[in-house]
Amino acid sequence: MIKRLSSWISTLRMEEEGADLIAYLFGKAFMSRLDRSRMEVMNLYLRQHDVPQIELFNLLCSKFPVAMAAGTIANRCLVNAAEGADSLKLLEIGIGTGRQIVLLIQSLAAMNKPPVSLTIHAIEPDPASLGSAEASVRKAAEEAGIHLDFHGCARTMEDVEAEFWNDIQASDGRLLVNAAFSLHHVHGGAPDAARKILLSRIHSLKPTLVVLCEPDSDHFVRDVRQRFAESWRHYSNVFRLIDQCDITAQEKRSLKIFFSREIEDVLGVPETDRVERHERTASWIQRLQLSGFEPANPLQTQDLLSWPLLARRIDEWHVGLSEGNINLVSIICASSR
């Protein structure tokens, strides 16, 4: 098996044939699963095109239509839910470096009646990113004239202590919750149970709106054959969308290499260590319902912008962003009411 896979991979021509790159990345993921000793040779190709992670992330946010649309739609939902509130509090799960929340604060400031105060309870496992996020968010709030209280927690969701949740409960304001591409990382040894516990805990806080941005693909299933079929469907369409973008060939290659890390995690990493455990949109909605949530899509007619290369699917629970007939990412909205 390993020899046949290695022989097949050696026939791929990533420079001449664009379609060969995704085959190479999937082959690399399976080789990682079967024989990690061969990975050094396979990584040589990717290192030739290595770009710092922060540059790849900024490229994703500024040039990849799905990421751009998801962030814009999520923020629009949050702004609509904030209408009329003098005091807001935001539970931000996976704030990263704060890019989306800076844009959210700017949108809040542009409202006819902006909130007077905003309390942010931010969870981010990487302390450096959390520090950068706090600095950026404080600057944005100062420029917007909105009083800000910022409470950061440099832990994974599973390790957040009871005191953090108590502080959210005790703070003033209408509660909004935002989780952009973060809840699929929740693991804790029993991912399904951990996610149920998390959503039940969030429901107990009685938020006005919860917004989840999540890929619509089942990489949660344990059977690697099913996971391969799901991930091939998802990432082949992601790569097809990238190829249609009006960006340079190098930028397209860089975006694909950004997603290569997800592919390797989904298929090549041992089950106990995987972190990219995406689920289908229907599974997230079912779990929200079981936790007591109701649908709460707050988009208004004027919010339904069109995005180049993307089709939209809208219902009471979510907005889906599709390439052709394949939904790639969903923005899911729920309320505790």
Side-chain angles (χ1 to χ4, degrees):
M1 175 65 178
I2 292 176
K3 288 182 179 180
R4 289 203 303 271
L5 180 59
S6 181
S7 176
W8 171 73
I9 290 172
S10 69
T11 67
L12 299 174
R13 300 181 301 163
M14 284 75 70
E15 294 292 355
E16 295 85 2
E17 299 290 339
D20 277 6
L21 179 55
I22 189 170
Y24 180 85
L25 296 175
F26 271 76
K28 177 177 177 292
F30 270 111
M31 188 63 78
S32 175
R33 186 180 190 88
L34 296 171
D35 184 5
R36 297 196 67 86
S37 67
R38 298 182 184 230
M39 292 308 297
E40 188 63 22
V41 173
M42 298 194 69
N43 280 328
L44 285 176
Y45 171 78
L46 296 185
R47 281 205 296 272
Q48 293 170 13
H49 301 277
D50 196 23
V51 179
Q53 180 71 359
I54 187 62
E55 290 185 25
L56 289 177
F57 179 76
N58 289 336
L59 179 66
L60 187 78
C61 292
S62 61
K63 298 292 182 71
F64 188 49
V66 173
M68 297 163 64
T72 300
I73 292 170
N75 275 359
R76 191 68 251 164
C77 292
L78 292 166
V79 168
N80 288 347
E83 189 70 42
D86 288 330
S87 298
L88 283 178
K89 53 183 177 180
L90 174 69
L91 169 56
E92 173 62 20
I93 303 173
I95 194 172
T97 58
R99 187 179 188 278
Q100 181 186 352
I101 303 309
V102 167
L103 295 174
L104 175 63
I105 290 173
Q106 292 169 354
S107 295
L108 291 172
M111 295 171 67
N112 290 331
K113 187 177 181 297
V116 175
S117 66
L118 172 63
T119 302
I120 296 179
H121 301 271
I123 301 170
E124 171 55 48
D126 178 39
S129 294
L130 183 61
S132 178
E134 180 174 0
S136 297
V137 167
R138 286 193 181 281
K139 180 180 178 183
E142 182 179 358
E143 292 173 350
I146 298 174
H147 175 77
L148 176 71
D149 286 325
F150 188 95
H151 306 274
C153 179
R155 295 176 178 269
T156 63
M157 280 302 307
E158 297 88 336
D159 294 329
V160 173
E161 296 176 336
E163 182 180 0
F164 182 83
W165 297 105
N166 293 338
D167 287 344
I168 298 173
Q169 189 76 62
S171 58
D172 295 326
R174 181 184 301 174
L175 176 61
L176 310 179
V177 179
N178 183 55
F181 303 104
S182 57
L183 290 196
H184 64 260
H185 293 142
V186 173
H187 184 9
D192 188 56
R195 293 173 188 188
K196 288 178 180 175
I197 291 170
L198 171 61
L199 290 177
S200 294
R201 182 169 286 156
I202 292 173
H203 184 269
S204 71
L205 298 172
K206 302 301 179 187
T208 297
L209 182 70
V210 175
V211 181
L212 312 182
C213 292
E214 286 291 339
D216 186 8
S217 190
D218 187 2
H219 306 157
F220 190 60
V221 62
R222 294 180 67 90
D223 188 311
V224 72
R225 292 168 298 183
Q226 290 180 250
R227 210 155 67 234
F228 171 82
E230 286 279 327
S231 57
W232 181 266
R233 178 193 62 84
H234 180 77
Y235 289 109
S236 62
N237 280 279
V238 167
F239 280 30
R240 187 177 298 117
L241 179 60
I242 290 172
D243 285 333
Q244 297 176 66
C245 292
D246 186 19
I247 55 180
T248 68
Q250 181 55 48
E251 287 173 327
K252 291 178 182 180
R253 190 172 296 272
S254 295
L255 283 176
K256 292 175 181 179
I257 290 174
F258 176 90
F259 286 108
S260 74
R261 293 158 188 167
E262 290 192 5
I263 293 170
E264 184 159 345
D265 184 274
V266 170
L267 294 174
V269 173
E271 182 64 26
T272 54
D273 299 328
R274 293 198 301 117
V275 295
E276 302 296 346
R277 298 171 180 267
H278 309 119
E279 292 190 74
R280 289 290 191 130
T281 297
S283 296
W284 284 113
I285 291 173
Q286 182 181 46
R287 190 173 289 118
L288 285 163
Q289 288 176 308
L290 291 173
S291 298
F293 287 98
E294 298 178 358
N297 188 339
L299 287 177
Q300 300 169 8
T301 303
Q302 64 268 27
D303 300 322
L304 301 178
L305 305 175
S306 61
W307 292 88
L309 309 178
L310 291 178
R312 295 166 307 166
R313 300 178 182 182
I314 303 171
D315 65 21
E316 61 177 355
W317 275 102
H318 82 292
V319 179
L321 302 175
S322 306
E323 193 282 324
N325 294 321
I326 303 298
N327 191 52
L328 298 177
V329 166
S330 291
I331 302 93
I332 306 167
C333 297
S335 169
S336 62
R337 292 194 299 269

